[in-house]
Short mmCIF file of all heavy atoms in Angstrom, two decimals:
data_model
loop_
_atom_site.label_atom_id
_atom_site.label_comp_id
_atom_site.label_asym_id
_atom_site.label_seq_id
_atom_site.Cartn_x
_atom_site.Cartn_y
_atom_site.Cartn_z
N PRO S 99 10.83 16.81 -7.12
CA PRO S 99 11.10 16.56 -5.71
C PRO S 99 9.86 16.82 -4.85
O PRO S 99 9.21 17.85 -4.98
CB PRO S 99 12.20 17.58 -5.39
CG PRO S 99 12.79 17.95 -6.69
CD PRO S 99 11.71 17.81 -7.70
N GLY S 100 9.58 15.87 -4.00
CA GLY S 100 8.45 16.03 -3.10
C GLY S 100 7.13 15.58 -3.67
O GLY S 100 6.15 15.47 -2.96
N ARG S 101 7.10 15.31 -4.96
CA ARG S 101 5.86 14.85 -5.58
C ARG S 101 5.88 13.32 -5.67
O ARG S 101 6.92 12.72 -5.90
CB ARG S 101 5.70 15.43 -6.98
CG ARG S 101 5.70 16.93 -7.03
CD ARG S 101 4.47 17.50 -6.37
NE ARG S 101 4.44 18.96 -6.45
CZ ARG S 101 3.58 19.71 -5.80
NH1 ARG S 101 2.68 19.17 -5.01
NH2 ARG S 101 3.61 21.02 -5.91
N THR S 102 4.71 12.74 -5.53
CA THR S 102 4.64 11.29 -5.60
C THR S 102 4.08 10.85 -6.94
O THR S 102 3.39 11.62 -7.62
CB THR S 102 3.72 10.74 -4.50
OG1 THR S 102 2.37 11.14 -4.78
CG2 THR S 102 4.13 11.29 -3.14
N ASP S 103 4.39 9.63 -7.29
CA ASP S 103 3.88 9.13 -8.56
C ASP S 103 2.36 9.13 -8.57
O ASP S 103 1.72 9.43 -9.59
CB ASP S 103 4.41 7.73 -8.84
CG ASP S 103 4.10 6.74 -7.74
OD1 ASP S 103 3.70 7.19 -6.64
OD2 ASP S 103 4.24 5.53 -7.95
N ASN S 104 1.79 8.82 -7.41
CA ASN S 104 0.33 8.78 -7.33
C ASN S 104 -0.27 10.16 -7.59
O ASN S 104 -1.25 10.30 -8.31
CB ASN S 104 -0.10 8.28 -5.96
CG ASN S 104 -1.47 7.63 -5.98
OD1 ASN S 104 -1.84 6.95 -6.94
ND2 ASN S 104 -2.22 7.81 -4.91
N GLU S 105 0.35 11.16 -7.03
CA GLU S 105 -0.18 12.51 -7.20
C GLU S 105 -0.07 12.94 -8.66
O GLU S 105 -0.99 13.52 -9.22
CB GLU S 105 0.56 13.50 -6.30
CG GLU S 105 -0.07 14.88 -6.35
CD GLU S 105 0.64 15.88 -5.46
OE1 GLU S 105 1.74 15.59 -4.97
OE2 GLU S 105 0.07 16.97 -5.26
N ILE S 106 1.07 12.66 -9.24
CA ILE S 106 1.28 13.05 -10.63
C ILE S 106 0.31 12.30 -11.54
O ILE S 106 -0.27 12.86 -12.45
CB ILE S 106 2.74 12.78 -11.05
CG1 ILE S 106 3.66 13.72 -10.28
CG2 ILE S 106 2.92 12.96 -12.53
CD1 ILE S 106 5.13 13.41 -10.45
N LYS S 107 0.14 11.03 -11.23
CA LYS S 107 -0.78 10.21 -12.02
C LYS S 107 -2.20 10.77 -11.95
O LYS S 107 -2.86 10.96 -12.96
CB LYS S 107 -0.73 8.78 -11.50
CG LYS S 107 -1.63 7.82 -12.23
CD LYS S 107 -1.37 6.40 -11.77
CE LYS S 107 -1.61 6.22 -10.30
NZ LYS S 107 -1.31 4.85 -9.85
N ASN S 108 -2.63 11.04 -10.72
CA ASN S 108 -3.96 11.61 -10.55
C ASN S 108 -4.08 12.95 -11.25
O ASN S 108 -5.09 13.24 -11.89
CB ASN S 108 -4.27 11.79 -9.06
CG ASN S 108 -4.71 10.49 -8.42
OD1 ASN S 108 -5.29 9.64 -9.06
ND2 ASN S 108 -4.43 10.34 -7.14
N TYR S 109 -3.05 13.73 -11.09
CA TYR S 109 -3.05 15.06 -11.69
C TYR S 109 -3.19 14.94 -13.20
O TYR S 109 -3.98 15.65 -13.83
CB TYR S 109 -1.76 15.78 -11.32
CG TYR S 109 -1.65 17.18 -11.88
CD1 TYR S 109 -2.42 18.21 -11.35
CD2 TYR S 109 -0.81 17.45 -12.95
CE1 TYR S 109 -2.33 19.48 -11.86
CE2 TYR S 109 -0.71 18.72 -13.47
CZ TYR S 109 -1.46 19.74 -12.93
OH TYR S 109 -1.38 21.00 -13.44
N TRP S 110 -2.42 14.05 -13.76
CA TRP S 110 -2.47 13.88 -15.21
C TRP S 110 -3.86 13.42 -15.65
O TRP S 110 -4.45 13.95 -16.58
CB TRP S 110 -1.42 12.86 -15.64
CG TRP S 110 -1.42 12.65 -17.12
CD1 TRP S 110 -2.15 11.74 -17.82
CD2 TRP S 110 -0.69 13.40 -18.10
NE1 TRP S 110 -1.91 11.86 -19.17
CE2 TRP S 110 -1.03 12.88 -19.36
CE3 TRP S 110 0.21 14.47 -18.02
CZ2 TRP S 110 -0.48 13.38 -20.55
CZ3 TRP S 110 0.76 14.96 -19.20
CH2 TRP S 110 0.41 14.42 -20.44
N ARG S 111 -4.35 12.43 -14.99
CA ARG S 111 -5.62 11.85 -15.43
C ARG S 111 -6.79 12.80 -15.28
O ARG S 111 -7.66 12.85 -16.12
CB ARG S 111 -5.90 10.57 -14.66
CG ARG S 111 -4.96 9.44 -15.01
CD ARG S 111 -5.33 8.21 -14.25
NE ARG S 111 -6.66 7.73 -14.63
CZ ARG S 111 -6.87 6.95 -15.68
NH1 ARG S 111 -5.89 6.54 -16.41
NH2 ARG S 111 -8.09 6.57 -15.98
N THR S 112 -6.80 13.52 -14.16
CA THR S 112 -7.98 14.34 -13.89
C THR S 112 -7.92 15.68 -14.60
O THR S 112 -8.94 16.26 -14.90
CB THR S 112 -8.17 14.60 -12.39
OG1 THR S 112 -6.98 15.18 -11.87
CG2 THR S 112 -8.46 13.31 -11.68
N ARG S 113 -6.74 16.15 -14.85
CA ARG S 113 -6.68 17.49 -15.43
C ARG S 113 -6.00 17.58 -16.78
O ARG S 113 -6.57 18.01 -17.75
CB ARG S 113 -6.04 18.45 -14.45
CG ARG S 113 -7.09 18.95 -13.49
CD ARG S 113 -6.49 19.60 -12.30
NE ARG S 113 -6.04 18.63 -11.33
CZ ARG S 113 -5.55 18.96 -10.16
NH1 ARG S 113 -5.44 20.21 -9.84
NH2 ARG S 113 -5.17 18.04 -9.32
N ILE S 114 -4.78 17.15 -16.84
CA ILE S 114 -4.05 17.35 -18.09
C ILE S 114 -4.69 16.57 -19.22
O ILE S 114 -4.95 17.10 -20.30
CB ILE S 114 -2.57 16.96 -17.93
CG1 ILE S 114 -1.93 17.91 -16.91
CG2 ILE S 114 -1.86 17.03 -19.25
CD1 ILE S 114 -0.45 17.70 -16.74
N GLN S 115 -4.99 15.32 -18.97
CA GLN S 115 -5.55 14.49 -20.01
C GLN S 115 -6.86 15.08 -20.53
O GLN S 115 -7.09 15.14 -21.74
CB GLN S 115 -5.80 13.09 -19.47
CG GLN S 115 -5.74 12.03 -20.55
CD GLN S 115 -5.64 10.65 -19.93
OE1 GLN S 115 -6.34 10.33 -18.99
NE2 GLN S 115 -4.75 9.83 -20.45
N LYS S 116 -7.67 15.52 -19.59
CA LYS S 116 -8.94 16.09 -19.99
C LYS S 116 -8.73 17.35 -20.81
O LYS S 116 -9.39 17.59 -21.82
CB LYS S 116 -9.73 16.41 -18.71
CG LYS S 116 -11.12 16.93 -18.98
CD LYS S 116 -11.83 17.21 -17.67
CE LYS S 116 -11.10 18.23 -16.86
NZ LYS S 116 -11.68 18.41 -15.53
N HIS S 117 -7.80 18.13 -20.37
CA HIS S 117 -7.53 19.39 -21.04
C HIS S 117 -7.01 19.14 -22.45
O HIS S 117 -7.37 19.84 -23.40
CB HIS S 117 -6.50 20.19 -20.23
CG HIS S 117 -6.75 21.65 -20.31
ND1 HIS S 117 -7.78 22.26 -19.64
CD2 HIS S 117 -6.10 22.63 -21.00
CE1 HIS S 117 -7.75 23.56 -19.90
NE2 HIS S 117 -6.74 23.81 -20.71
N ILE S 118 -6.18 18.16 -22.59
CA ILE S 118 -5.65 17.83 -23.91
C ILE S 118 -6.79 17.40 -24.83
O ILE S 118 -6.86 17.81 -25.98
CB ILE S 118 -4.59 16.71 -23.80
CG1 ILE S 118 -3.33 17.28 -23.15
CG2 ILE S 118 -4.26 16.14 -25.15
CD1 ILE S 118 -2.31 16.21 -22.82
N LYS S 119 -7.67 16.61 -24.30
CA LYS S 119 -8.81 16.16 -25.10
C LYS S 119 -9.62 17.36 -25.59
O LYS S 119 -10.02 17.44 -26.74
CB LYS S 119 -9.71 15.24 -24.26
CG LYS S 119 -9.53 13.78 -24.64
CD LYS S 119 -10.47 12.91 -23.83
CE LYS S 119 -10.04 11.46 -23.93
NZ LYS S 119 -10.68 10.62 -22.92
N GLN S 120 -9.88 18.28 -24.67
CA GLN S 120 -10.64 19.46 -25.04
C GLN S 120 -9.91 20.23 -26.12
O GLN S 120 -10.50 20.66 -27.10
CB GLN S 120 -10.87 20.34 -23.81
CG GLN S 120 -11.92 19.78 -22.87
CD GLN S 120 -12.02 20.59 -21.59
OE1 GLN S 120 -11.24 21.52 -21.37
NE2 GLN S 120 -12.96 20.24 -20.73
N ALA S 121 -8.62 20.37 -25.94
CA ALA S 121 -7.83 21.12 -26.91
C ALA S 121 -7.92 20.45 -28.28
O ALA S 121 -8.04 21.11 -29.30
CB ALA S 121 -6.38 21.21 -26.44
N GLU S 122 -7.89 19.14 -28.27
CA GLU S 122 -7.96 18.41 -29.53
C GLU S 122 -9.32 18.60 -30.18
O GLU S 122 -9.42 18.74 -31.38
CB GLU S 122 -7.69 16.94 -29.28
CG GLU S 122 -6.22 16.66 -29.14
CD GLU S 122 -5.97 15.24 -28.65
OE1 GLU S 122 -6.95 14.51 -28.40
OE2 GLU S 122 -4.80 14.89 -28.48
N ASN S 123 -10.34 18.58 -29.37
CA ASN S 123 -11.67 18.77 -29.92
C ASN S 123 -11.80 20.13 -30.59
O ASN S 123 -12.46 20.28 -31.60
CB ASN S 123 -12.73 18.63 -28.81
CG ASN S 123 -12.91 17.19 -28.41
OD1 ASN S 123 -12.53 16.29 -29.14
ND2 ASN S 123 -13.46 16.96 -27.23
N PHE S 124 -11.18 21.12 -29.99
CA PHE S 124 -11.26 22.45 -30.56
C PHE S 124 -10.45 22.55 -31.85
O PHE S 124 -10.86 23.11 -32.82
CB PHE S 124 -10.77 23.49 -29.56
CG PHE S 124 -11.79 23.83 -28.54
CD1 PHE S 124 -11.50 23.75 -27.19
CD2 PHE S 124 -13.07 24.21 -28.93
CE1 PHE S 124 -12.46 24.05 -26.25
CE2 PHE S 124 -14.05 24.51 -27.98
CZ PHE S 124 -13.74 24.43 -26.63
N THR S 125 -9.26 21.96 -31.82
CA THR S 125 -8.38 22.13 -32.97
C THR S 125 -8.85 21.34 -34.17
O THR S 125 -8.55 21.68 -35.30
CB THR S 125 -6.95 21.69 -32.64
OG1 THR S 125 -7.00 20.38 -32.09
CG2 THR S 125 -6.33 22.62 -31.63
N GLY S 126 -9.56 20.30 -33.99
CA GLY S 126 -10.05 19.53 -35.12
C GLY S 126 -10.61 18.24 -34.65
O GLY S 126 -9.89 17.29 -34.40
N GLY S 127 -11.93 18.18 -34.54
CA GLY S 127 -12.54 16.99 -34.00
C GLY S 127 -12.35 15.79 -34.88
O GLY S 127 -12.35 14.66 -34.42
N GLY S 128 -12.15 16.01 -36.20
CA GLY S 128 -12.10 14.90 -37.13
C GLY S 128 -10.89 14.02 -36.99
O GLY S 128 -10.93 12.84 -37.29
N GLN S 129 -9.79 14.61 -36.52
CA GLN S 129 -8.58 13.81 -36.52
C GLN S 129 -8.46 12.94 -35.29
O GLN S 129 -7.43 12.33 -35.06
CB GLN S 129 -7.36 14.70 -36.57
CG GLN S 129 -7.69 16.15 -36.80
CD GLN S 129 -6.45 17.01 -36.63
OE1 GLN S 129 -5.59 16.76 -35.79
NE2 GLN S 129 -6.32 18.03 -37.43
N SER S 130 -9.52 12.88 -34.54
CA SER S 130 -9.37 12.24 -33.25
C SER S 130 -9.01 10.77 -33.35
O SER S 130 -8.50 10.20 -32.42
CB SER S 130 -10.64 12.40 -32.44
OG SER S 130 -11.71 11.85 -33.15
N SER S 131 -9.30 10.16 -34.51
CA SER S 131 -9.05 8.73 -34.59
C SER S 131 -7.61 8.39 -34.26
O SER S 131 -7.33 7.43 -33.57
CB SER S 131 -9.40 8.22 -35.98
OG SER S 131 -8.63 8.93 -36.93
N ASP S 132 -6.72 9.21 -34.79
CA ASP S 132 -5.33 8.96 -34.47
C ASP S 132 -4.87 9.79 -33.30
O ASP S 132 -4.09 9.36 -32.47
CB ASP S 132 -4.44 9.29 -35.67
CG ASP S 132 -4.38 8.12 -36.62
OD1 ASP S 132 -4.69 7.00 -36.16
OD2 ASP S 132 -4.07 8.33 -37.77
N GLN S 133 -5.34 11.02 -33.25
CA GLN S 133 -4.75 11.94 -32.31
C GLN S 133 -5.30 11.81 -30.91
O GLN S 133 -4.66 12.25 -29.97
CB GLN S 133 -4.98 13.37 -32.80
CG GLN S 133 -4.34 13.62 -34.13
CD GLN S 133 -2.99 14.26 -33.96
OE1 GLN S 133 -2.77 14.98 -33.00
NE2 GLN S 133 -2.08 13.99 -34.85
#
Side-chain angles (χ1 to χ4, degrees):
Chain S
R101 302 292 182 189
T102 68
D103 57 346
N104 206 36
E105 186 180 12
I106 293 171
K107 180 172 60 182
N108 280 330
Y109 180 74
W110 180 270
R111 291 182 64 85
T112 56
R113 276 165 280 184
I114 296 185
Q115 207 166 44
K116 184 180 60 187
H117 215 74
I118 289 171
K119 257 183 195 165
Q120 285 174 355
E122 281 170 359
N123 286 342
F124 280 127
T125 52
Q129 351 172 324
S130 57
S131 58
D132 276 340
Q133 299 264 330

